Amino acid sequence: QVQLVESGGGLVQAGGSLRLSCAASGSIFSINTMGWYRQAPGKQRELVAFIHSGGSTNYADSVKGRFTISRDNAKNTAFLQMNSLKPDDTAVYYCKAQLRYTYWGQGTQVTVSS
Protein backbone atom coordinates (compact mmCIF):
# COMPACT_ATOMS: atom_id res chain seq x y z
CA GLN A 1 0.00 0.00 0.00
CA VAL A 2 3.06 2.24 0.11
CA GLN A 3 5.08 3.12 -2.95
CA LEU A 4 8.49 4.75 -3.08
CA VAL A 5 9.74 6.46 -6.22
CA GLU A 6 13.33 7.62 -6.55
CA SER A 7 14.46 10.29 -8.97
CA GLY A 8 17.45 12.49 -9.67
CA GLY A 9 20.03 9.95 -10.78
CA GLY A 10 22.20 10.44 -13.80
CA LEU A 11 25.70 10.64 -15.21
CA VAL A 12 28.16 13.11 -13.71
CA GLN A 13 31.89 13.68 -13.74
CA ALA A 14 34.02 13.04 -10.69
CA GLY A 15 33.74 15.96 -8.32
CA GLY A 16 30.22 16.78 -9.43
CA SER A 17 26.96 16.73 -7.52
CA LEU A 18 23.54 15.12 -7.71
CA ARG A 19 20.43 15.41 -5.59
CA LEU A 20 18.26 12.33 -5.23
CA SER A 21 14.64 12.40 -4.16
CA CYS A 22 12.43 9.68 -2.74
CA ALA A 23 8.70 10.31 -2.68
CA ALA A 24 6.48 8.01 -0.66
CA SER A 25 2.80 7.68 -1.43
CA GLY A 26 -0.10 5.49 -0.44
CA SER A 27 -1.49 4.56 2.94
CA ILE A 28 0.87 6.50 5.19
CA PHE A 29 0.26 7.67 8.71
CA SER A 30 3.90 8.25 9.56
CA ILE A 31 7.33 7.06 8.46
CA ASN A 32 9.72 6.24 11.26
CA THR A 33 12.95 6.07 9.31
CA MET A 34 13.97 6.73 5.74
CA GLY A 35 17.26 5.66 4.29
CA TRP A 36 19.33 5.41 1.18
CA TYR A 37 21.16 2.28 0.11
CA ARG A 38 23.24 1.57 -2.95
CA GLN A 39 24.30 -1.48 -4.89
CA ALA A 40 27.00 -1.71 -7.53
CA PRO A 41 27.18 -4.63 -9.99
CA GLY A 42 28.55 -7.72 -8.32
CA LYS A 43 28.48 -6.13 -4.87
CA GLN A 44 26.17 -6.38 -1.89
CA ARG A 45 23.69 -3.64 -1.19
CA GLU A 46 25.07 -1.27 1.42
CA LEU A 47 23.69 1.43 3.66
CA VAL A 48 24.53 4.99 2.63
CA ALA A 49 22.57 7.08 5.12
CA PHE A 50 19.38 7.13 7.12
CA ILE A 51 17.30 9.74 8.87
CA HIS A 52 14.76 9.33 11.66
CA SER A 53 11.47 11.15 11.86
CA GLY A 54 12.93 13.57 14.40
CA GLY A 55 15.76 14.51 12.08
CA SER A 56 18.72 12.61 13.50
CA THR A 57 20.99 11.15 10.83
CA ASN A 58 23.69 8.56 10.30
CA TYR A 59 26.10 8.07 7.43
CA ALA A 60 28.40 5.42 6.11
CA ASP A 61 32.04 6.32 6.62
CA SER A 62 32.60 6.34 2.88
CA VAL A 63 30.21 9.26 2.34
CA LYS A 64 30.63 11.33 5.50
CA GLY A 65 31.35 14.93 4.70
CA ARG A 66 30.17 14.54 1.11
CA PHE A 67 26.53 13.39 1.30
CA THR A 68 23.65 14.91 3.22
CA ILE A 69 20.33 13.20 3.89
CA SER A 70 17.22 15.20 4.69
CA ARG A 71 13.46 14.74 4.73
CA ASP A 72 10.24 16.64 4.43
CA ASN A 73 7.83 14.88 6.75
CA ALA A 74 4.80 16.78 5.47
CA LYS A 75 5.50 15.54 1.95
CA ASN A 76 6.77 12.09 2.94
CA THR A 77 9.88 12.73 0.92
CA ALA A 78 13.55 12.08 1.56
CA PHE A 79 16.52 13.60 -0.21
CA LEU A 80 20.16 12.75 -0.65
CA GLN A 81 22.48 15.58 -1.63
CA MET A 82 25.61 14.04 -3.10
CA ASN A 83 28.67 16.26 -3.47
CA SER A 84 32.27 15.57 -4.46
CA LEU A 85 31.19 12.41 -6.21
CA LYS A 86 33.73 9.70 -6.91
CA PRO A 87 33.70 6.84 -9.42
CA ASP A 88 33.30 4.46 -6.47
CA ASP A 89 29.92 6.07 -5.81
CA THR A 90 28.61 4.55 -9.03
CA ALA A 91 25.67 2.32 -8.15
CA VAL A 92 21.93 1.98 -8.18
CA TYR A 93 20.60 3.96 -5.25
CA TYR A 94 17.54 2.66 -3.44
CA CYS A 95 15.23 4.42 -1.03
CA LYS A 96 13.93 2.57 2.01
CA ALA A 97 11.09 3.59 4.31
CA GLN A 98 10.25 1.99 7.62
CA LEU A 99 6.62 2.06 8.66
CA ARG A 100 4.92 -0.96 10.18
CA TYR A 101 6.58 -2.78 7.31
CA THR A 102 9.67 -2.00 5.28
CA TYR A 103 9.26 -0.61 1.77
CA TRP A 104 11.78 -0.23 -1.02
CA GLY A 105 11.87 1.87 -4.14
CA GLN A 106 12.92 0.57 -7.53
CA GLY A 107 16.19 2.47 -7.57
CA THR A 108 17.82 5.19 -9.60
CA GLN A 109 21.13 4.85 -11.40
CA VAL A 110 24.05 7.08 -10.44
CA THR A 111 27.12 6.91 -12.65
CA VAL A 112 30.26 8.91 -11.89
CA SER A 113 32.88 9.08 -14.63
CA SER A 114 36.58 9.50 -13.93
Side-chain angles (χ1 to χ4, degrees):
Q1 291 187 336
V2 176
Q3 298 181 75
L4 304 178
V5 179
E6 301 99 334
S7 62
L11 173 64
V12 298
Q13 294 182 334
S17 298
L18 285 173
R19 180 177 171 86
L20 306 183
S21 298
C22 172
S25 62
S27 183
I28 300 172
F29 180 76
S30 64
I31 303 175
N32 294 326
T33 303
M34 301 190 76
W36 289 95
Y37 293 71
R38 66 187 182 187
Q39 187 168 24
K43 299 180 66 177
Q44 188 175 359
R45 187 173 300 186
E46 64 176 350
L47 173 68
V48 176
F50 64 85
I51 182 169
H52 293 103
S53 60
S56 60
T57 59
N58 290 88
Y59 297 90
D61 289 341
S62 60
V63 306
K64 285 182 179 177
R66 300 188 298 120
F67 292 8
T68 302
I69 189 171
S70 61
R71 65 189 289 173
D72 185 335
N73 290 335
K75 297 182 178 180
N76 293 318
T77 302
F79 306 93
L80 185 68
Q81 179 66 46
M82 310 166 67
N83 298 326
S84 301
L85 283 163
K86 305 174 181 179
D88 285 347
D89 295 320
T90 296
V92 177
Y93 283 70
Y94 297 92
C95 180
K96 176 184 175 182
Q98 183 67 51
L99 292 83
R100 179 177 180 180
Y101 305 104
T102 299
Y103 299 89
W104 290 90
Q106 291 299 111
T108 184
Q109 177 70 48
V110 172
T111 302
V112 184
S113 62
S114 60

